[in-house]
Amino acid sequence: MTPDTPDYGPDRQAEVYLNGMLEDERPEFPVSYEDLEKRAREELSEEAFAYVAGGAGSESTVAANDRAFDAWQIVPRIMRDISERDLSVDLFGREYPAPVMLAPIGVQSILHEEAELAVARAASEFGVPMVCSSVSSYSMEAVSDELGESPGWFQLYWSSDRDVAASFLERAEAAGYEAVVVTLDTPKMGWRERDIELGYLPFLEAQGLKNYFEDPAFRERLEVDPRDDEEAAIASWQACFGDASLTWDDLEWLQAQTDLPIVVKGVLHPDDAREAVERGVDGMVVSNHGGRQVDGAIPALEALPDVVDAVADATAADRDVPVLFDSGIRRGSDVIRAIALGADAVLLGRPYALGLGIGGEDGVSAVLENLLADLDLTVGLSGCASLDEIDRSTIRRAER
Ligand code: FNR
């Protein structure tokens, strides 16, 4: 079953209930996000769990991301023929079955040995696009091979070594990725208390550095093969991972390196959204990186409406600049609220990472299957038969 099946949600629901009734069988993986997190805490190493679940500082923004959804409530409509729902969305000329993508999540080898390969297989089962991280545990080429015809986007951490950044873009294009997501909120990693308390950064164990170690431009920086002096290679990666000197004027350089659509990730301020549109970006992701960068930062959902308005203001009539959203998507109703506030699609992050941690490919598939079924049902029960019917009138601010 794929999410373009007309009765996807109810079919999935029926399958689970029938298995329960006839076979006395319960779903293998937790359904709620809270239980997924609980299981992952039990099964993963302390370090891996902290790396995924943790955020910057006191983690106030991680918590605020979750609460922000409760500030908006859906006002369901009735009598609207929702017998068939169409969740499809068009982005950069390609149609996707649902407004859901898999967010770039690095170093997945700390969660499961099959890491991004398992995620790519699960994503392709549903036709859901996967965004492969710069710091993936398998190379971007290996991930793309695993995706086959299924859509993939590549996430760029913009290296301070321009040759490395250019080489990554060239390789992403050659490997068949269809868009570049350039993450601009992470020129350096945030102050993450859990990781600091454990003295743990997976990259220093050479995890998540495959793209670098196999890259011809990166290898130019080294005197010997990374396998012969791993420490030197890791130190060289640390020295060029991000570029804190970047300003908007640098964007032109990036645009000149690739023909792929460029989507900037980490937009929270409407002035940055406006600037990005004026500088010709093709899309953006409203995101606070799941609360991992700036503790006390605005919940991404709160930032979304102002960014959407700024983009609409700044965009010429003949241009379309999609606004994507992440940071706090846990359930179908969260997707609906983000769409209602103007997002074209959302990126799912921690839920699928936890699914990977507890069940590899099957765990990711279960998370996706449940989220898509929940989304399909909740869209319909809210009175909408397609995403076009979800707008600001679908929700209202909760009374405090
Ligand atoms: C991330 N995120 C991330 N973003 C990115 O652009 N490149 C990356 O390599 C990573 N790596 C990464 C690792 C882990 C463990 C997490 C949890 C997150 C951020 C990610 O793309 C997304 O913005 C957040 O996950 C959204 O927040 P939620 O919904 O997962 O809480």
Side-chain angles (χ1 to χ4, degrees):
M1 242 187 319
T2 53
D4 40 19
T5 315
D7 223 17
Y8 181 75
D11 287 349
R12 164 76 184 139
Q13 213 179 19
E15 182 181 277
V16 174
Y17 290 146
L18 282 175
N19 279 343
M21 194 176 68
L22 304 175
E23 316 285 339
D24 204 17
E25 208 177 273
R26 293 188 180 175
E28 188 181 350
F29 300 104
V31 176
S32 79
Y33 180 74
E34 294 72 20
D35 287 348
L36 263 180
E37 204 178 55
K38 202 166 137 226
R39 173 94 68 96
R41 187 194 291 272
E42 286 161 10
E43 293 187 7
L44 292 175
S45 71
E46 189 184 9
E47 287 85 359
F49 181 77
Y51 188 74
V52 175
S58 69
E59 300 182 356
S60 66
T61 296
V62 181
N65 280 342
D66 290 342
R67 277 199 313 273
F69 288 87
D70 290 335
W72 294 99
Q73 294 171 331
I74 298 168
V75 190
R77 302 296 305 269
I78 52 177
M79 301 294 277
R80 285 186 150 198
D81 185 5
I82 48 108
S83 53
E84 286 190 12
R85 280 92 42 216
D86 173 8
L87 300 183
S88 67
V89 66
D90 213 70
L91 293 172
F92 307 123
R94 179 151 178 169
E95 191 182 285
Y96 299 110
V100 177
M101 318 184 50
L102 297 186
I105 291 208
V107 268
Q108 293 179 12
S109 53
I110 65 173
L111 297 168
H112 192 274
E113 60 186 5
E114 290 175 23
E116 295 83 9
L117 303 185
V119 172
R121 286 197 292 273
S124 53
E125 190 186 328
F126 298 94
V128 164
M130 169 181 180
V131 187
C132 176
S133 168
S134 275
V135 288
S136 51
S137 306
Y138 287 89
S139 71
M140 65 176 101
E141 289 83 3
V143 175
S144 150
D145 283 349
E146 205 69 33
L147 279 169
E149 292 304 302
S150 195
W153 294 9
F154 178 70
Q155 177 267 328
L156 180 74
Y157 276 134
W158 188 334
S159 173
S160 60
D161 184 329
R162 287 284 165 103
D163 292 341
V164 173
S167 176
F168 271 33
L169 292 172
E170 199 183 313
R171 286 170 57 197
E173 209 166 324
Y177 289 96
E178 296 173 22
V180 171
V181 176
V182 53
T183 302
L184 297 176
D185 58 15
T186 313
K188 307 212 174 271
M189 279 178 218
W191 179 258
R192 300 176 188 165
E193 289 181 6
R194 293 197 212 196
D195 299 338
I196 288 166
E197 270 162 10
L198 294 169
Y200 176 68
L201 187 65
F203 310 105
L204 301 190
E205 296 173 349
Q207 303 216 52
L209 302 185
K210 199 78 166 181
N211 282 324
Y212 296 83
F213 288 6
E214 289 187 2
D215 188 82
F218 180 78
R219 291 168 75 101
E220 284 284 308
R221 300 167 55 86
L222 308 176
E223 281 169 22
V224 295
D225 190 290
R227 278 169 303 195
D228 296 331
D229 190 350
E230 201 170 74
E231 255 175 53
I234 294 169
S236 181
W237 171 78
Q238 273 187 297
C240 78
F241 162 72
D243 185 349
S245 77
L246 292 174
T247 69
W248 285 111
D249 284 339
D250 292 295
L251 196 65
E252 209 178 330
W253 177 87
L254 197 77
Q255 288 162 320
Q257 307 304 311
T258 180
D259 291 329
L260 296 176
I262 292 180
V263 177
V264 293
K265 176 169 182 274
V267 175
L268 292 168
H269 198 294
D271 289 351
D272 282 338
R274 214 169 279 118
E275 183 91 41
V277 171
E278 283 163 7
R279 301 274 182 168
V281 307
D282 300 288
M284 67 187 74
V285 187
V286 175
S287 166
N288 58 27
H289 212 111
R292 297 164 74 80
Q293 286 298 94
V294 178
D295 190 26
I298 180 173
L301 195 74
E302 285 293 313
L304 181 61
D306 289 346
V307 168
V308 167
D309 290 347
V311 169
D313 243 22
T315 311
D318 61 346
R319 235 181 113 201
D320 180 27
V321 181
V323 177
L324 311 182
F325 171 86
D326 77 28
S327 298
I329 297 290
R330 305 289 178 256
R331 293 186 161 84
S333 60
D334 299 333
V335 183
I336 294 174
R337 285 177 272 200
I339 303 275
L341 291 173
D344 291 284
V346 304
L347 282 69
L348 186 69
R350 288 186 175 96
Y352 91 81
L354 298 173
L356 175 69
I358 64 179
E361 178 186 345
D362 291 347
V364 180
S365 288
V367 166
L368 267 174
E369 190 171 32
N370 289 333
L371 179 93
L372 293 169
D374 171 8
L375 176 63
D376 176 46
L377 266 166
T378 312
V379 165
L381 294 174
S382 301
C384 303
S386 73
L387 301 184
D388 296 344
E389 293 176 18
I390 303 175
D391 60 22
R392 288 297 291 268
S393 73
T394 310
I395 52 171
R396 59 149 218 196
R397 267 258 181 223
E399 279 168 26
R400 286 171 205 265

